[in-house]
Amino acid sequence: MASLGANAAAALRSLREQPQRSFLSTLGIIVGSMAVVLLVSIATGVQADVRGQVQDIGVNVLVVIPGRIENGPMNMNLGGGSFLKEEDALRLTQVAGVVRTAPWTFVGGGIRSGEKVANSLLVATTDAWFQMHPEQMEAGRVFAPGDREKDVCVIGSFAKQQLFGDRPALGKPILVNKRRYTVVGVTKDRKGQPSLLSMFDLQNLVYLPYHRLKAFQPDLQTDRIMIQTVPSAEPKALIRQLDAVLAQRLDRQQFQVLTQEDLLGLVYKLMGILTWLLTGLTSIALFVGGVGIMTVMLMSVNERAKEIGLRKTVGARQRDIFTQFLSEAIVLGLAGGTVGLALSYGVCLALYHFTPIKPMVTPGIVALAFSVSLGVGTVFGLVPAMNAARKDPVVSLRSQ
């Protein structure tokens, strides 16, 4: 142990004697470490954002989609035609264990108030949705059963800010596809600041009455059916019953009942594939950094041949020489990783406070950064260390 400490101390002294070379050799590790940490931190933040949005749908809520995801997400039918109808939602309410259902329709078009436009998602639904998903209100109220035939709307806090700023929105008109709707409620922002996926957040939705929209659009399709279940209902057994009811009218390839875990699993799978792909691409920088360390260390071995010969003459073993040079490579790798992690943390803070991107630097990511840096330093330091350990002391002492 004492010998290991002495070799590590010798390695640090050697690196301090050549600070410029040490810095240049770690530059690739710094860049590679930053790339990996930033990528994984941003992906982790997006996952947390998605998880929060899915969980925000509410407890004991199932979702019926017009397609299936067993064969891949493209079959989920995120856009285009839907095979679901309001009658399906009504029939599902007869299943034991179902409290209520609410149809959802994604409405195309824009939202305008005067010259101002809101970048919000338009959804047509019924008052049942607000019963299964109680909203905290900044002002006004949610839909009531009597609003089915009225041109009213409930807007999110983000849309309110874009359309009205600090002015009150309650009772004010907005235009949706050139049709006038009166604001009867504004949902309260529970997050405090926008994120990368704020457009799809429930606080950024603008709700229209489903039946009022259907009155002048008879062919209005139903894109989703939200189902609230009793807390004691066993999800898998209930899903089988819901499948059986929907299969009476639809082909099983035209719908699927999903839990929140199913939705999260699909998103995490897609993001996991993308994250690993991008991580592999950014790891090229780590490889370049490792090659840089190996090149500098090989040059150092040749330049310090006399030092190696002298150490061996006074009793240093091959193992001691090997350990010293390997320690230098490891220190270079860890130093680059530490600097890269510190810079990445600063960039993450800037992104968090000044952009919609909300990265998350977790203890696991910190451990990943140090592990990668340690691995790169060790792997690319083996060749120079073995080269130094094998040098003949007599030949080394003769070198200039």
Side-chain angles (χ1 to χ4, degrees):
M1 184 64 68
S3 176
L4 182 62
N7 287 324
L12 289 173
R13 283 196 305 271
S14 176
L15 294 176
R16 283 199 299 268
E17 291 172 357
Q18 297 177 324
Q20 291 182 344
R21 176 180 292 182
S22 300
F23 171 74
L24 291 175
S25 61
T26 60
L27 196 56
I29 302 296
I30 293 173
V31 174
S33 177
M34 284 187 65
V36 172
V37 171
L38 284 173
L39 176 64
V40 178
S41 298
I42 291 172
T44 303
V46 173
Q47 284 187 349
D49 197 6
V50 171
R51 182 170 61 250
Q53 292 191 29
V54 172
Q55 292 175 347
D56 196 30
I57 292 175
V59 296
N60 307 321
V61 174
L62 304 176
V63 182
V64 183
I65 63 171
R68 303 198 74 83
I69 63 174
E70 284 94 341
N71 299 323
M74 295 306 294
N75 291 332
M76 193 172 174
N77 201 355
L78 293 173
S82 172
F83 310 100
L84 304 174
K85 293 184 178 180
E86 183 187 7
E87 291 75 13
D88 297 319
L90 296 176
R91 289 191 296 117
L92 291 177
T93 58
Q94 307 302 316
V95 177
V98 173
V99 178
R100 58 179 60 89
T101 63
W104 261 41
T105 294
F106 298 118
V107 183
I111 309 159
R112 182 181 296 274
S113 176
E115 297 299 320
K116 295 185 177 180
V117 177
N119 298 318
S120 296
L121 194 64
L122 276 164
V123 172
T125 188
T126 65
D127 56 285
W129 164 247
F130 295 104
Q131 296 177 46
M132 69 174 69
H133 182 268
E135 286 281 5
Q136 298 180 24
M137 303 302 293
E138 181 179 306
R141 59 175 177 81
V142 296
F143 290 155
D147 293 327
R148 291 191 170 195
E149 304 303 325
K150 297 179 181 178
D151 290 327
V152 296
C153 65
V154 175
I155 66 175
S157 53
F158 296 157
K160 183 263 181 186
Q161 189 64 33
Q162 290 176 325
L163 294 174
F164 301 101
D166 296 329
R167 295 180 292 112
L170 205 61
K172 299 293 179 61
I174 65 172
L175 290 178
V176 177
N177 299 329
K178 297 184 178 180
R179 191 174 185 86
R180 181 187 177 108
Y181 291 85
T182 302
V183 177
V184 296
V186 180
T187 60
K188 188 175 182 180
D189 179 14
R190 285 175 285 186
K191 293 187 177 180
Q193 57 183 164
S195 65
L196 187 64
L197 301 178
S198 290
M199 181 180 179
F200 306 102
D201 195 280
L202 292 180
Q203 274 70 56
N204 195 35
L205 298 184
V206 171
Y207 297 99
L208 305 177
Y210 176 86
H211 293 97
R212 180 57 176 164
L213 201 63
K214 197 171 184 179
F216 55 86
Q217 294 185 28
D219 58 346
L220 184 71
Q221 70 178 24
T222 300
D223 296 306
R224 302 289 185 271
I225 297 176
M226 303 296 186
I227 305 171
Q228 185 181 24
T229 66
V230 297
S232 59
E234 202 283 314
K236 291 185 178 179
L238 184 56
I239 286 176
R240 285 195 293 269
Q241 297 180 52
L242 297 172
D243 277 344
V245 171
L246 291 171
Q248 294 174 7
R249 190 186 69 84
L250 299 171
D251 185 272
R252 291 189 180 275
Q253 295 301 314
Q254 295 176 325
F255 71 91
Q256 186 172 1
V257 184
L258 300 176
T259 64
Q260 292 186 13
E261 289 75 16
D262 295 328
L263 292 171
L264 286 173
L266 173 65
V267 175
Y268 285 177
K269 182 178 180 180
L270 292 174
M271 291 188 61
I273 294 172
L274 183 60
T275 300
W276 280 112
L277 176 62
L278 295 178
T279 301
L281 293 176
T282 55
S283 297
I284 296 174
L286 287 172
F287 177 79
V288 173
V291 172
I293 289 178
M294 184 172 65
T295 303
V296 170
M297 291 300 300
L298 286 172
M299 293 172 56
S300 179
V301 169
N302 293 329
E303 292 174 357
R304 295 160 60 189
K306 186 172 289 187
E307 173 193 335
I308 295 170
L310 184 60
R311 288 198 63 190
K312 285 191 172 183
T313 302
V314 296
R317 297 165 296 179
Q318 284 191 353
R319 183 175 62 186
D320 297 324
I321 303 299
F322 177 84
T323 303
Q324 178 186 347
F325 280 85
L326 183 61
S327 298
E328 291 183 19
I330 291 174
V331 169
L332 286 173
L334 288 176
T338 302
V339 174
L341 179 62
L343 293 175
S344 300
Y345 186 73
V347 174
C348 287
L349 285 178
L351 290 174
Y352 189 90
H353 290 291
F354 300 110
T355 73
I357 302 174
K358 307 301 177 188
M360 293 181 62
V361 182
T362 64
I365 294 175
V366 175
L368 173 65
F370 281 114
S371 299
V372 169
S373 302
L374 177 63
V376 170
T378 302
V379 170
F380 287 91
L382 287 174
V383 172
M386 289 188 294
N387 193 12
R390 291 171 181 171
K391 277 192 172 294
D392 184 274
V394 177
V395 176
S396 298
L397 285 172
R398 290 176 180 174
S399 63
Q400 297 298 322

